[in-house]
Amino acid sequence: MPHTYEFPRPALTVDCVVFGFDGAGLQVLLIKRGIEPFLGTWALPGGFVRMEENLEEAARRELEEETSLRDVFLEQLYTFGDPGRDPRGRVVSVAWFALVHPEQHPAKGDTDASEAAWFHISDLPDLAFDHDHILTTALERLRGKIRYQPVGFELLPKRFTLTQLQALYEAILGRPIDKRNFRKKLLAFDFLIPLDEFTGGAHRPARLHRFDRRKYDTLVKKGFLFEL
């Protein structure tokens, strides 16, 4: 016999902060809402959790439905439950953040998203609901996380230069980094593999590198701590 709760139950949603890096600055993927509330306003991808799915399944489904993104790095961020955060009623949102390379994931709106587009963090439109707060929280998490986990490599192409890697860290941290110290620390890591390939250009071509995930995972099992 099904049980009936005597207390009202809030609705549950998921919202996804999708970060990207275009080589010049940190970006976030937004959708333009095609339905009320906030019709025509930019927002984070997301939606209501279905009764038969868990939270991560809901987040991945909403990402694919609204932006066509799939098989991306995804991590739970925080739960947002201010009683007045949604004009439709009592809605609690579990937020997630994803890290992707924008060139591999062009923006594409679908379902209740009339449009999707990449925006630089420094030039954002007004956002629906409390999504500006969610985005700020995700950015703070990312800035802390790249210091002790190599998640930044998710934002780069498979082959990259040390200059590109430094530009990524500077974009996320919002400040310049000493080039010599940064490279010295990175090159000491056994999972950053130099390749016999170089970028084009007649003057001082830069060596390409790749991130060896398997080697990193092996080092972690042995007690290795990543820190920059």
Side-chain angles (χ1 to χ4, degrees), residues 9-24:
R9 286 176 288 174
L12 183 62
T13 63
V14 288
D15 287 301
C16 300
V17 183
V18 183
F19 288 117
F21 180 66
D22 64 354

Side-chain angles (χ1 to χ4, degrees), residues 102-122:
E103 290 184 0
Q104 300 171 359
H105 299 282
K108 180 183 177 183
D110 203 354
T111 62
D112 57 354
S114 63
E115 186 180 344
W118 287 99
F119 288 85
H120 279 271
I121 289 294
S122 59

Side-chain angles (χ1 to χ4, degrees), residues 7 23 28 64 70 81 88 91 95 97 102-103 110 115 162 166 216-217 220-221 223:
F7 301 103
V28 65
E64 185 171 358
R70 57 186 303 177
R88 292 169 294 191
V91 180
F97 76 93
E103 290 184 0
D110 203 354
E115 186 180 344
L162 295 182
Q166 181 173 341
Y216 170 75
D217 290 340
V220 169
K221 290 179 181 179

